[in-house]
Amino acid sequence: MGRVVVDVMPKPEILDPQGKAVASALARLGFGQFGSVRQGKRFELEVEGEVTGEVLAAAREAGEQVLSNPVIEDVVAVYADEVRAGGTQA
Amino acid sequence: MGRVVVDVMPKPEILDPQGKAVASALARLGFGQFGSVRQGKRFELEVEGEVTGEVLAAAREAGEQVLSNPVIEDVVAVYADEVRAGGTQA
């Protein structure tokens, strides 16, 4: 089984109030080194079998047509990822 | 200026209704090859200067203490990313 990750972020010119709220919270909690924060979405799509170039192309299309709102968001990354076995990865 | 990406996903054992809704939408719209979808969050944190090991460690700490709810979410990835100049990246 393969997994494809599709990352969607608000366009750079779009205001991101969620990210701004997170940045203020981080500053209050002692993480002042992070001056600016933007928050987006990460989708993990699972496919039967291997992640081929075709699968990646379909995932990008799905990202652009379904997973993101192209008026305010960009699909910033589409890549194959290892399937975690219940743990966390570095 | 450097950028750190922190990826947060619902824990594998936690139900993800958002992901399930996305999976049904994909199937209806001709992307049936993606059987299962999980939706998480992607944070882009900006720092002055380079992304050092120390910055990555602080970003992971921020991810675990502020950006995620450790009861239901895992910080699945923390890594340095190039700053986009208003465009999209592959």
Side-chain angles (χ1 to χ4, degrees):
Chain A
M1 196 153 75
R3 173 185 285 158
V4 182
V5 174
V6 178
D7 286 330
V8 172
M9 294 297 295
K11 281 183 194 283
E13 64 271 25
I14 297 283
L15 207 67
D16 175 15
Q18 255 185 323
K20 283 216 187 307
V22 171
S24 320
L26 284 178
R28 270 200 313 277
L29 295 165
F31 297 101
Q33 67 267 61
F34 303 114
S36 151
V37 178
R38 291 181 79 77
Q39 181 175 345
K41 289 179 279 188
R42 173 187 160 109
F43 295 92
E44 292 182 352
L45 313 179
E46 269 170 30
V47 284
E48 292 295 318
E50 258 183 279
V51 177
T52 59
E54 223 170 277
V55 169
L56 286 174
R60 175 168 288 275
E61 216 185 317
E64 281 162 4
Q65 292 178 18
V66 187
L67 307 178
S68 70
N69 175 350
V71 177
I72 57 167
E73 292 170 328
D74 283 326
V75 175
V76 297
V78 177
Y79 57 95
D81 191 28
E82 271 168 53
V83 175
R84 288 186 305 280
T88 58
Q89 79 193 35
Chain B
M1 199 153 73
R3 172 186 287 159
V4 181
V5 175
V6 178
D7 285 331
V8 173
M9 294 299 293
K11 282 182 193 286
E13 65 270 26
I14 296 283
L15 206 69
D16 176 15
Q18 252 185 326
K20 283 215 188 306
V22 171
S24 320
L26 284 178
R28 271 199 314 277
L29 295 164
F31 297 101
Q33 67 266 60
F34 303 114
S36 152
V37 178
R38 293 183 76 77
Q39 182 177 341
K41 289 179 278 187
R42 173 186 159 110
F43 295 93
E44 292 183 351
L45 313 178
E46 270 172 29
V47 285
E48 292 295 319
E50 257 183 281
V51 177
T52 59
E54 222 169 279
V55 168
L56 286 175
R60 176 167 288 276
E61 217 185 316
E64 282 162 5
Q65 292 179 16
V66 187
L67 306 178
S68 70
N69 175 351
V71 177
I72 56 166
E73 292 171 326
D74 283 326
V75 175
V76 297
V78 177
Y79 57 94
D81 190 30
E82 271 169 52
V83 175
R84 288 187 303 282
T88 58
Q89 82 193 33

